[in-house]
């Protein structure tokens, strides 16, 4: 069931924006968002931000396409089709596809050396890991904004590669047929320094990092890193964690990115709850896309896809969903935003939904601006530090979407209103926002914030008048 107004599956949506006019102030914020998307447009890919992320990221491109469909559906479709250029022969779609740019990026092709392992479909350079499989969701949204013929053409071009991607996820990353896909790096989860992943990552810190930590040499590490030029280091993951993530990349490279080899190394392996929840929803969309494109989904894949829905509920304990350590089978008992994504997947039993919504709306997660990525009373909580507390626009979008399908439309509307409040009162498209005071943090001119703002506004969501009153008169330049 798709509860969005006017969104008949497979049918075109009439954008409600034309029905509910935007006030001049809100229209100006939307223009700022559109300007950010235009400035980050590199042809048929959109970089997440002009400085920190100069290439193409998998799930960023998906959220970006969801917004772009309101501006130019064909361009939105191109954003998704361009991801197939990075597809590996085995089916993986990588987390970063490197653009033709000389702009500095701290984890560029030299760190991965994937060209030694394989050639991608489009001959482009990429990383050797994947990211949350949002493509099918984005494709269905883009398809809704197209004519029937254009959509059929778009789906025919996308479907074969997309089916191969889902096949790879199960064949390579669920070899034991558990129904849950296993991740080999926190960058695959998209939530680089969430406490769950940091618990798994810290014990494998390189020896030099451990030694420097013992003598309190964090400053020495900070001096070595180069990803924090635009963003203050305390809004990113710690240097020690970053160098540990580089060590894991090194080990993956030595394992030629092959899960059978990786399994016998020290690399932490996690059945990530958010990733698998996104996969569960993507599987449903994949069926729609494949049917419309006339592409067959192999029977074994359909069986695995069905298993994911049931397996997600094995990750639930006392009403809370957690990720699981693949090696030990233990749940990683950290309360984080990832635990709410089963609402987006639609796998939470009806009897549990209201309790989860109450938790979400409680001051633990919703101090002033919701939803905090780590509860505000958690020892790991840092309001402006990456995935350790800030509000993320994409998470709010996903959870609100799930709540709509559960018929919790008021909660969904409150989340969207609050999301718009926080963006609108900052006047800028930040990567993330403090749940305590709404201040923007991380990279500015961030594409998915801009794209999802456009999507929410054009689907009729509005900020409160309180936020509109707070719109800065001198706006930060886009
Ligand atoms: C980065 O470069 O910090 C990214 O989060 C990796 O995906």
């Amino acid at each position: 069931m798709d509860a969005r107004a006017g969104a008949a599956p497979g049918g075109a949506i009439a954008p409600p924006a034309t029905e509910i006019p935007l006030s001049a102030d809100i229209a100006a914020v939307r223009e700022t968002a559109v300007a950010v998307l235009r400035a980050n447009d590199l042809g048929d890919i959109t970089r997440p931000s002009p400085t920190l992320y100069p290439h193409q990221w998998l799930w960023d491109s998906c959220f970006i396409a969801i917004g772009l469909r309101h501006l130019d559906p064909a361009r939105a479709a191109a954003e998704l089709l361009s991801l197939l250029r990075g597809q590996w022969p085995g089916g993986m779609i990588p987390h970063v596809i490197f653009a033709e740019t000389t702009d500095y990026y701290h984890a560029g092709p030299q760190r991965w050396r994937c060209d030694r392992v394989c050639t991608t479909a489009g001959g482009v350079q990429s990383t050797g890991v994947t990211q949350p499989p949002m493509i099918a969701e984005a494709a269905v949204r883009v398809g809704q904004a197209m004519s029937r013929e254009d959509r059929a053409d778009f789906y025919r071009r996308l479907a074969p590669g997309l089916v191969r991607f889902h096949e790879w996820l199960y064949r390579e990353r669920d070899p034991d047929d558990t129904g849950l896909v296993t991740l080999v790096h926190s960058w695959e989860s998209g939530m680089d320094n969430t406490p769950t992943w940091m618990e798994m990552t810290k014990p494998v810190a390189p020896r030099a990092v451990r030694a420097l930590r013992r003598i309190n040499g964090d400053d020495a590490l900070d001096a070595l890193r180069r990803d924090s030029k635009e963003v203050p280091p305390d809004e990113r993951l710690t240097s020690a964690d970053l160098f540990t993530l580089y060590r894991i990349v090194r080990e993956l490279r030595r394992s030629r990115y092959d899960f059978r080899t990786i399994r016998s190394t020290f690399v932490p392996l996690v059945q990530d709850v958010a990733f698998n929840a996104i996969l569960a929803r993507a599987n449903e969309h994949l069926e729609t896309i494949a049917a419309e494109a006339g592409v067959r989904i192999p029977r074994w894949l359909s069986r695995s896809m069905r298993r994911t829905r049931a397996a997600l509920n094995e990750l639930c304990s006392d009403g809370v969903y957690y990720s699981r350590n693949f090696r030990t089978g233990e749940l990683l008992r950290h309360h984080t935003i990832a635990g709410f994504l089963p609402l987006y997947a639609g796998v939470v039993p009806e009897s549990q939904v209201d309790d989860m919504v109450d938790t979400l709306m409680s001051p633990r997660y919703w101090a002033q601006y919701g939803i905090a990525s780590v509860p505000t009373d958690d020892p790991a909580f840092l309001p402006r530090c990456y995935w350790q507390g800030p509000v993320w626009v994409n998470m709010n979008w996903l959870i609100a979407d799930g709540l709509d399908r559960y018929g919790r439309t008021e909660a969904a509307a409150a989340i969207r209103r609050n999301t718009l409040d926080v963006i609108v009162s900052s006047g800028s498209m930040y990567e993330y926002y403090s749940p305590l005071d709404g201040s923007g943090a991380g990279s500015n001119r961030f594409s998915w914030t801009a794209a999802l703002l456009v999507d929410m506004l054009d689907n009729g969501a509005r900020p409160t008048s309180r936020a509109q009153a707070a719109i800065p008169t001198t706006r930060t330049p886009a």
Side-chain angles (χ1 to χ4, degrees):
M1 171 180 67
D2 194 333
R4 286 168 57 255
I13 45 164
T18 49
E19 291 153 30
I20 312 168
L22 295 177
S23 69
D25 281 350
I26 302 301
V29 175
R30 186 179 180 284
E31 262 169 45
T32 303
V34 172
V36 164
L37 290 170
R38 297 238 158 90
N40 287 336
D41 188 339
L42 301 179
D44 58 359
I45 69 167
T46 308
R47 61 188 175 195
S49 83
T51 44
L52 199 52
Y53 309 110
H55 303 286
Q56 181 180 30
W57 265 256
L58 194 173
W59 76 330
D60 290 74
S61 272
C62 297
F63 290 114
I64 290 163
I66 289 170
L68 280 181
R69 71 188 167 135
H70 298 283
L71 312 175
D72 181 350
R75 174 63 187 81
E79 184 81 26
L80 298 175
L81 290 168
S82 71
L83 288 166
L84 296 179
R85 290 172 315 145
Q87 188 154 38
W88 283 32
M92 182 182 80
I93 299 189
H95 111 285
V96 180
I97 300 173
F98 295 113
E100 297 281 333
T101 172
T102 50
D103 289 353
Y104 175 76
Y105 174 59
H106 68 103
Q110 291 311 317
R111 205 173 273 290
W112 299 90
R113 294 316 311 252
C114 292
D115 50 347
R116 291 187 181 156
V117 178
C118 70
T119 306
T120 57
V124 288
Q125 301 260 41
S126 78
T127 61
V129 296
T130 191
Q131 228 181 11
M134 279 292 302
I135 305 174
E137 171 75 85
V140 166
R141 301 294 174 142
V142 172
Q144 287 168 349
M146 291 174 137
S147 70
R148 197 170 290 278
E149 297 75 53
D150 287 352
R151 182 174 61 244
D153 178 55
F154 166 46
Y155 283 0
R156 271 195 296 272
R157 292 167 68 199
L158 184 72
L162 192 54
V163 171
R164 288 183 51 232
F165 178 40
H166 284 236
E167 283 183 308
W168 174 83
L169 285 167
Y170 285 101
R171 197 183 55 241
E172 175 79 5
R173 296 299 186 80
D174 183 24
D176 302 348
D177 237 351
T178 63
L180 296 174
V181 158
T182 294
L183 306 190
V184 302
H185 198 288
S186 83
W187 287 344
E188 294 200 307
S189 76
M191 302 184 196
D192 307 13
N193 68 338
T194 186
T196 311
W197 271 97
M198 288 304 105
E199 175 195 326
M200 295 294 288
T201 305
K202 281 202 185 341
V204 302
R207 209 172 300 144
V209 166
R210 273 179 280 159
L212 277 170
R213 254 201 199 132
R214 267 197 303 277
I215 58 164
N216 211 359
D218 280 349
D219 289 351
L221 286 173
D222 285 350
L224 291 173
R225 73 190 284 181
R226 295 188 57 196
D227 69 312
S228 53
K229 298 280 175 278
E230 181 202 9
V231 175
D234 58 357
E235 292 178 18
R236 302 271 295 161
L237 67 184
T238 65
S239 300
D241 288 336
L242 185 65
F243 285 103
T244 308
L245 296 185
Y246 291 159
R247 179 182 184 216
I248 295 173
V249 170
R250 212 159 42 239
E251 194 62 21
L252 296 176
R253 194 173 68 217
R254 287 195 187 120
S255 305
R256 299 178 67 78
Y257 306 102
D258 179 336
F259 189 72
R260 280 160 306 184
T261 313
I262 296 167
R263 235 179 139 154
S264 57
T265 66
F266 66 79
V267 166
L269 300 177
V270 175
Q271 292 175 317
D272 186 272
V273 63
F275 189 106
N276 279 284
I278 288 172
L279 176 60
R281 182 75 178 134
N283 287 336
E284 292 176 343
H285 289 311
L286 181 66
E287 280 172 6
T288 310
I289 294 166
E292 211 170 320
V295 170
R296 207 179 63 80
I297 297 184
R299 200 166 302 155
W300 73 266
L301 179 59
S302 299
R303 215 190 49 239
S304 298
M305 293 190 334
R306 273 197 301 278
R307 193 164 296 161
T308 300
R309 302 187 67 76
L312 272 165
N313 277 310
E314 292 167 19
L315 303 181
C316 187
S317 168
D318 292 330
V320 181
Y321 286 83
Y322 301 102
S323 294
R324 187 162 70 190
N325 181 335
F326 172 75
R327 296 186 192 281
T328 63
E330 273 161 358
L331 294 179
L332 299 161
R333 291 178 183 272
H334 292 276
H335 291 197
T336 73
I337 194 155
F340 293 98
L341 286 219
L343 287 168
Y344 166 70
V347 298
V348 177
E350 175 58 40
S351 58
Q352 253 172 261
V353 174
D354 287 328
D355 282 350
M356 282 177 78
V357 172
D358 287 348
T359 308
L360 206 57
M361 300 284 173
S362 73
R364 286 189 74 211
Y365 280 97
W366 197 306
Q368 169 76 9
Y369 295 95
I371 305 159
S373 42
V374 166
T376 53
D377 58 1
D378 190 291
F381 174 73
L382 291 170
R384 291 171 55 82
C385 182
Y386 217 25
W387 289 96
Q388 269 182 254
V391 176
W392 285 80
V393 174
N394 66 333
M395 289 291 118
N396 285 9
W397 188 96
L398 291 167
I399 294 169
D401 182 69
L403 290 177
D404 266 343
R405 281 178 280 113
Y406 274 106
R408 302 318 195 265
T409 48
E410 270 180 36
I415 292 172
R416 291 194 186 102
R417 206 164 39 240
N418 204 268
T419 312
L420 292 175
D421 276 8
V422 77
I423 306 173
V424 162
S425 23
S426 84
S428 277
M429 308 296 136
Y430 281 100
E431 188 178 1
Y432 37 89
Y433 295 87
S434 160
L436 302 185
D437 60 12
S439 57
S443 197
N444 194 357
R445 292 168 287 166
F446 192 68
S447 297
W448 86 32
T449 298
L452 296 177
L453 173 106
V454 170
D455 186 58
M456 289 186 218
L457 287 177
D458 287 15
N459 281 331
R462 293 289 175 270
T464 58
S465 40
R466 178 177 56 116
Q468 290 178 49
I471 296 177
T473 36
T474 348
R475 218 176 287 288
T476 323

